[in-house]
Amino acid sequence: MSKDTANQLDRISHVVVPGTFDPVTYGHLDVIRRAKRAFPRITVAVAASKGKGGTGPAFSLDERVTILKEALEAEGIGPDIDVQPFEGLLIDFCHDLGATGLIKGLRAMMDFEFELQQANLNSRFAPDIESIVVMSSPEHSYLSSSVVREIASFGGDLSRLVPPCVAAHLEKKYAQRA
Amino acid sequence: MSKDTANQLDRISHVVVPGTFDPVTYGHLDVIRRAKRAFPRITVAVAASKGKGGTGPAFSLDERVTILKEALEAEGIGPDIDVQPFEGLLIDFCHDLGATGLIKGLRAMMDFEFELQQANLNSRFAPDIESIVVMSSPEHSYLSSSVVREIASFGGDLSRLVPPCVAAHLEKKYAQRA
Amino acid sequence: MSKDTANQLDRISHVVVPGTFDPVTYGHLDVIRRAKRAFPRITVAVAASKGKGGTGPAFSLDERVTILKEALEAEGIGPDIDVQPFEGLLIDFCHDLGATGLIKGLRAMMDFEFELQQANLNSRFAPDIESIVVMSSPEHSYLSSSVVREIASFGGDLSRLVPPCVAAHLEKKYAQRA
Amino acid sequence: MSKDTANQLDRISHVVVPGTFDPVTYGHLDVIRRAKRAFPRITVAVAASKGKGGTGPAFSLDERVTILKEALEAEGIGPDIDVQPFEGLLIDFCHDLGATGLIKGLRAMMDFEFELQQANLNSRFAPDIESIVVMSSPEHSYLSSSVVREIASFGGDLSRLVPPCVAAHLEKKYAQRA
Amino acid sequence: MSKDTANQLDRISHVVVPGTFDPVTYGHLDVIRRAKRAFPRITVAVAASKGKGGTGPAFSLDERVTILKEALEAEGIGPDIDVQPFEGLLIDFCHDLGATGLIKGLRAMMDFEFELQQANLNSRFAPDIESIVVMSSPEHSYLSSSVVREIASFGGDLSRLVPPCVAAHLEKKYAQRA
Amino acid sequence: MSKDTANQLDRISHVVVPGTFDPVTYGHLDVIRRAKRAFPRITVAVAASKGKGGTGPAFSLDERVTILKEALEAEGIGPDIDVQPFEGLLIDFCHDLGATGLIKGLRAMMDFEFELQQANLNSRFAPDIESIVVMSSPEHSYLSSSVVREIASFGGDLSRLVPPCVAAHLEKKYAQRA
């Protein structure tokens, strides 16, 4: 990005926090809280992911949006956070919304390398969209949706991983499967 | 950080961009520009570093502050960026200023691991100060002050690494030494 | 873990070496041998893995247990090593057995980051179970079950990768498929 | 290591926990506690390090041994931990003591890569000495002696980093220098 | 490899550039160009990959070979580059051709660790085949076939990622699917 | 590098293998042997390094060149390898020689990240010079000149680390110091 372009770019006020949220964890909520401290307007974008390895996500896109909204309310993060499903390219989604920042939380070096590649890719295609990282708390370093799903599938204790309302959804989901 | 604490924390408006800036490079300026897009008030904190390996920095603290101010003006990044020397703990410096965010630019995985440790350390001592990372352009991935100093010491071409006013300072510095 | 808790914890005598062992390699056997040097009682836990990417493991859980027992005997690692299949959460399996250590062998940095996350997760849920890593020999750094399966599937030479009894199982398995 | 050699090796009962301990931190004490859970006999080896970058350590070898002994007693880790200064090659030190295990605590990926190289080196020169890693708590991931010294040098709060008796030594040391 | 073996090994003149090429990107073409600068004879080996996660590749093996040949011609990389499909072990493929070098382009640290393991594995099985890495341009650091397929699937702009002839194949493929 | 530039670049025939060689190890000699398999003309460039941390190298530049020449002869790598001291920028040294390739051996991920930055830097300043990596044997993964110097300083066994003629120089050097 040349300096002239950069200098003319508007201040970032609306940012997108993207993810699959299958389901939302305390780690994700920590990132959204940190994003909210830094920017006045937040849209959480729930990806219509196909999942990894050919298997679909555990929760449908609608379920993931609903659970995330419930968790945001239950945790008091506020009604001013917009939650939307999205499909397609993230930069197109940002452009449609008029958002000019993408917020990610990093836990580990492998995350970082992936996000750096994504950020480089995005900066080629959409130099107006800034990629910004908030550093997660070390106590969330082990937390991921897949860890949560695995523990839920064996009936383990979810209380330190997800809010109670999310735990209830997981228990119902895995009770159906058993 | 408990959710109640986090939810009560004020919005971040004033952030610090710390560094040694020995001397400032196009990579640093890119980070400052990105920080300026995201936050209304920026202080660039120039550390009174002792250098690595017992050798002092190439430029004195005063020189590094002066060169950084010149570069910010020459690049049109603006007169509203505050530049200050600092010594001591970065979180004390932030508290004294009333700044509640620390902005770092990352180029590589080793940087990331170091910054994650620093961010974890800071979050223990000063949970009110958020650590935020902006992703550098890939074209700056090889750029560091030590690379710049090494090239300058052999009389190499600095034009793609630092602004002309910084190149002039480097040439003068290394001409003295030769 | 507070110091009082830690100080009251019993000495570790029984440890679990977990894995998928699809099939066991010389690398796994090296880890089990090293674990045996350090602890009096070893249970090798063979996970009822679903495999990665939706495809199941090459060998059934029963086959993987049988092959591992054969390999331990053939290599003279001893009849005192307990081998058991397990399903569910590893920490529950350890608690049921009364084991208080988990032994992993690391080959590479990506392994390490994954294991560190697992260790952090386990230490939250089961602070009484210690995660311990033995460093593999560099000559095993390239060895994994998936490499072994790939080479077996093309009829390659397995003699430096797995014991002869394991090679025989692989040849039979891939002859069936061809 | 051939299987015959490995199978003939005695069980590990005496292990060495090496370090510079300039000064000992809660992170080091956590590693020593974990080592004590796993092995009956522990020697903590305090290296006569020259420091990095040509500068010596902050505390002399004698001081570092004394402070470590005080901290072990103050934390109730026990009078049965042997603390010794050492100079020379670590594997020679182990051989002289009859110790057959080396215990390290890892915090980060860079640590891991360094320790893997050291472990490979040691396994060439002393195949009878096993390198074993205990995984540190995530709350210690940011803790290092150099962080502690830096914070002490600016008069920062040391209470979550080192035991009170170590903090007192640091305050005295840096008061002298100021 | 002992020094005598190494010293007797012939000079490398024929090298293999392996990959899945699903489809070929500007990043792959950059690697092939660099390989061509270094070695007189190049075979590009297109792997009959099963894809990751159980799903097959987007393009058939025949299509991937055809598209790669078209791209090499369109980019003027030359008619002297041999393109061949292969199945089985890469070192067997090299031996059949009489090729004694394997060329890989690396973009990131995770790539590196994987390639180092592969290189170690190959050096055990085929010490006559040298593993050689060419460093990709930073502007290709974000480029991968999976990124290209994802962007194509949403109708995004492919012009900076693949040659026009490859973009045409992608558009046709994803139009069929939609 | 645009495709037209790349396509016009001459084949690489002369390459430089740079290093500090303080002193040369079996790991370095492995890299030089591999470079010789790949390219007809090799110059080993011995850097007039200032050492790390303000301390100079253990051997003078003249000594390092002499020891390297002796080792190449003793190991039968051949009289056709050119050895030269150099000071200044490596790309200038290559240009002066007419060399168009730089060969590095990588042992670990941290090496890789550093070399990738260097390669990116060089490709900006000298797009005609290709950066090429040969993968070291795993048995050299722990080997570095600093490890060799440390072991020599304590009178340890050097026979698996450096050729006998290099060991003799080390013993003489460290006997003087003792």
Side-chain angles (χ1 to χ4, degrees), chain D residues 15-17 21 32 42-46 68 72 81-85:
Chain D
V15 297
V16 166
V17 183
F21 305 103
I32 295 170
I42 311 284
T43 296
V44 183
V46 183
L68 182 48
L72 288 169
I81 306 277
D82 181 36
V83 179
Q84 289 191 33

Side-chain angles (χ1 to χ4, degrees), chain F:
Chain F
M1 182 165 47
S2 77
K3 79 182 180 189
D4 294 323
T5 318
N7 288 343
Q8 288 159 19
L9 290 171
D10 285 336
R11 172 140 306 145
I12 299 163
S13 62
H14 187 176
V15 296
V16 165
V17 183
T20 305
F21 305 103
D22 185 32
V24 64
T25 69
Y26 278 134
H28 298 129
L29 295 169
D30 180 49
V31 170
I32 297 170
R33 245 187 224 107
R34 291 170 192 269
K36 199 184 155 187
R37 279 196 70 199
F39 298 100
R41 197 164 159 209
I42 311 285
T43 295
V44 184
V46 183
S49 164
K50 302 143 212 160
K52 283 166 192 148
T55 62
F59 292 96
S60 73
L61 182 53
D62 277 357
E63 287 173 317
R64 288 181 278 133
V65 168
T66 302
I67 295 171
L68 182 47
K69 284 179 177 170
E70 286 176 23
L72 288 169
E73 192 179 329
E75 293 294 300
I77 302 178
D80 55 333
I81 305 280
D82 182 34
V83 179
Q84 288 192 34
F86 92 98
E87 194 164 16
L89 291 177
L90 193 50
I91 54 178
D92 293 342
F93 180 79
C94 291
H95 282 157
D96 290 348
L97 281 178
T100 52
L102 274 169
I103 309 291
K104 302 300 299 267
L106 292 193
R107 294 166 304 148
M109 286 179 82
M110 274 170 291
D111 290 355
F112 170 66
E113 185 151 75
F114 177 77
E115 293 301 335
L116 184 58
Q117 288 185 339
Q118 289 287 309
N120 288 347
L121 179 68
N122 288 341
S123 79
R124 290 286 150 137
F125 280 82
D128 56 314
I129 298 176
E130 199 74 37
S131 290
I132 293 163
V133 169
V134 295
M135 292 297 207
S136 298
S137 303
E139 61 255 41
H140 295 127
S141 66
Y142 57 80
L143 235 180
S144 68
S145 293
S146 66
V147 156
V148 164
R149 290 194 307 270
E150 192 191 349
I151 290 173
S153 74
F154 296 120
D157 172 19
L158 297 166
S159 63
R160 272 171 292 190
L161 306 176
V162 296
C165 61
V166 178
H169 283 285
L170 280 159
E171 281 152 20
K172 204 170 136 197
K173 172 74 65 184
Y174 286 96
Q176 288 168 2
R177 295 195 172 185

Side-chain angles (χ1 to χ4, degrees), chain C residues 141-158:
Chain C
S141 67
Y142 57 80
L143 235 179
S144 69
S145 293
S146 66
V147 156
V148 165
R149 289 194 308 270
E150 191 190 349
I151 290 173
S153 74
F154 297 120
D157 173 19
L158 297 165

